[in-house]
Amino acid sequence: MNSDDRHNHYDEEEDVEETFVDDDDVADVVHYEGEEGDMAMDDEDDEEEEGEGGERSEILLEDDSVQGFFAHKEPVFSIDLHPTQQNLVVSGGSDDRAYIWQLDTGEQIAELSKHGDSVSAVGFSSDGSLVATGGMDGKIHVYSVDKREQCATLDGPDEIQFIDWHPKGNVLLAGAQDASLWMWSLPTGDFMHVFAGHSAPVTCGRFTNSGRNIVSGAEDGSLIVWDPKTAAIVRQFTSQDERFHQGAITSLAIARDDQVILTGSVDATAKLVHVNGTILGSLGNATESVEAVGLCDVLPLAATGSVDGSLSVWDINTMRLRTTLRHDDSVTRVLWHESSPMLTSVSMDSSVRTWDARTGECVRVWRGHQAGIMDLALTRDGRTVVTASDDGCCLVFSE
């Protein structure tokens, strides 16, 4: 997340069960009566809603959600699902607050300590024992999930752009506006390393799936592979190579075997690189910044989402465009379903869409938000989506 604008070797296809969902969108009719305690509307809006004879007109709102969480009141930037207790959600936003809440009821479980600025990143540890919140105040708060107690406050970097937990241990990584990455051991909060190599804000990063390396991208257009044990640079790609990005990197994804990395950039391209230092190719059909990328873990497919509303699916064996799907506004996040060719995307057009990447069919559209969606999380079975939006709400959509 930027401080000024919150916009993260397969040869044969395996048989995967197809899932198709009927379109059973629900529309609710909401009456604004203007009574005390009802939603406040300004005079101009009131006038627009009054028909001839002063009668109040009806506003038709689509809401396909099955549950929601509404405590934030201001834009929500980040959301995550507990890895084992998938009924637990953590969310954080521009109200400087983070909450743990229940997926099925929307009930608030815990209000976490307030940050001094917007909460830009949240996440449960890989075993679910801890949860962390990172803020634009440069602080990270870490809590015991079971005890609901804060166990550490981490300082060091300035504005936190992202956080990521090690896949096999309670080690936390954070990227910052000051071009650095930091790593701590939890729950003690012991400082482990600072990673220096970028020359501009670190916009995205994560541990590899094995946990043996760290990959990060920055506004200077550089992509770095790190050794987490020594904080040494293992591999680096920069804009000095004209084949690589010529603008800020916005997002990255890592293949299941950790050998291939996909990056998106404001230069309207995505790049596919190998960890051995080879630039495999450029994926470039977008007309504006590529803000979201993802790699399928069962087929040789990549997805790139752009500010121009396009969601492109690529064959990474041939580096050819397979299909272009569309939202009505900027694509903000994409997630491939676990062990599936299904893909879910969210957008500033306020919709959640699930696609079958093999055919390009949109098998589900969910609506309910009144502003753009900033983040999403999926249950492991891919049947439930939880979203964070600019409208200050978190919504739950389920098949």
Side-chain angles (χ1 to χ4, degrees):
M1 165 179 168
N2 295 332
S3 58
D4 297 322
D5 187 16
R6 174 69 176 171
H7 290 97
N8 57 110
H9 326 326
Y10 313 89
D11 295 323
E12 296 179 359
E13 297 188 358
E14 299 182 10
D15 293 331
V16 181
E17 182 178 351
E18 299 184 48
T19 302
F20 296 94
V21 183
D22 294 333
D23 189 356
D24 54 356
D25 293 350
V26 178
D28 291 338
V29 177
V30 180
H31 300 271
Y32 294 108
E33 301 296 341
E35 296 177 1
E36 186 176 352
D38 289 344
M39 185 181 293
M41 305 292 289
D42 60 30
D43 293 339
E44 181 179 348
D45 289 342
D46 284 342
E47 292 176 1
E48 291 176 356
E49 292 167 18
E50 289 184 359
E52 294 182 5
E55 294 182 357
R56 184 77 63 179
S57 62
E58 296 178 343
I59 299 177
L60 189 65
L61 300 178
E62 289 184 86
D63 188 0
D64 305 313
S65 64
V66 297
Q67 194 49 264
F69 182 73
F70 309 103
H72 281 287
K73 310 301 183 185
E74 295 183 33
V76 188
F77 296 144
S78 184
I79 201 160
D80 192 31
L81 278 170
H82 193 281
T84 59
Q85 303 175 53
Q86 296 231 291
N87 199 37
L88 287 182
V89 185
V90 61
S91 57
S94 67
D95 56 359
D96 309 341
R97 297 187 181 278
Y99 298 89
I100 298 175
W101 51 279
Q102 205 157 300
L103 186 75
D104 58 349
T105 65
E107 177 187 357
Q108 179 178 312
I109 303 299
E111 179 178 346
L112 305 180
S113 299
K114 188 176 182 181
H115 281 265
D117 204 338
S118 297
V119 177
S120 52
V122 298
F124 289 103
S125 61
S126 57
D127 65 359
S129 64
L130 302 173
V131 64
T133 65
M136 302 301 286
D137 58 0
K139 297 184 182 300
I140 297 174
H141 299 162
V142 185
Y143 306 82
S144 164
V145 172
D146 290 338
K147 296 180 180 179
R148 311 285 194 261
E149 294 177 354
Q150 187 167 345
C151 58
T153 298
L154 309 177
D155 294 292
D158 63 0
E159 300 174 5
I160 302 298
Q161 304 296 294
F162 68 86
I163 60 174
D164 189 58
W165 288 94
H166 192 280
K168 298 179 181 178
N170 289 332
V171 172
L172 185 66
L173 175 73
Q177 180 77 11
D178 62 8
S180 68
L181 294 94
W182 294 65
M183 192 171 72
W184 301 265
S185 176
L186 278 306
T188 60
D190 292 339
F191 166 76
M192 296 179 70
H193 289 299
V194 62
F195 301 80
H198 294 291
S199 61
V202 186
T203 55
C204 53
R206 51 163 290 194
F207 288 99
T208 56
N209 299 299
S210 66
R212 295 174 181 171
N213 291 111
I214 292 168
V215 182
S216 61
E219 285 188 7
D220 60 7
S222 65
L223 178 75
I224 299 179
V225 181
W226 310 84
D227 182 341
K229 293 182 179 180
T230 64
I233 295 175
V234 175
R235 197 76 60 198
Q236 187 169 15
F237 303 84
T238 72
S239 58
Q240 294 180 351
D241 187 333
E242 294 184 356
R243 298 171 301 163
F244 198 59
H245 290 300
Q246 300 302 300
I249 293 176
T250 61
S251 51
L252 65 84
I254 303 173
R256 174 187 275 184
D257 63 3
D258 292 339
Q259 296 302 297
V260 171
I261 304 165
L262 178 65
T263 54
S265 169
V266 298
D267 66 9
T269 70
K271 304 292 184 181
L272 199 67
V273 303
H274 196 279
V275 291
N276 65 11
T278 303
I279 298 176
L280 301 174
S282 181
L283 311 178
N285 72 321
T287 59
E288 296 184 69
S289 176
V290 175
E291 295 289 309
V293 297
L295 288 166
C296 180
D297 61 9
V298 295
L299 296 175
L301 300 177
T304 59
S306 171
V307 170
D308 65 15
S310 66
L311 176 60
S312 301
V313 178
W314 305 82
D315 184 323
I316 62 173
N317 283 341
T318 63
M319 304 300 293
R320 292 182 178 177
L321 179 65
R322 186 156 173 163
T323 185
T324 300
L325 316 170
R326 295 211 66 86
H327 276 272
D328 297 328
D329 205 335
S330 303
V331 178
T332 51
R333 285 290 310 278
V334 297
L335 282 179
W336 287 94
H337 294 211
E338 187 175 325
S339 302
S340 168
M342 308 301 287
L343 174 71
T344 293
S345 57
V346 293
S347 166
M348 293 306 290
D349 68 7
S350 309
S351 73
V352 182
R353 299 172 188 258
T354 295
W355 317 82
D356 186 332
R358 295 165 298 185
T359 64
E361 178 186 6
C362 182
V363 299
R364 194 70 169 92
V365 180
W366 281 304
R367 302 185 188 278
H369 283 294
Q370 303 306 305
I373 302 174
M374 308 302 295
D375 197 11
L376 84 156
L378 280 172
T379 53
R380 286 188 302 274
D381 62 9
R383 298 175 65 88
T384 300
V385 184
V386 58
T387 54
S389 171
D390 255 349
D391 63 11
C393 302
C394 302
L395 294 181
V396 180
F397 303 92
S398 188
E399 296 179 8

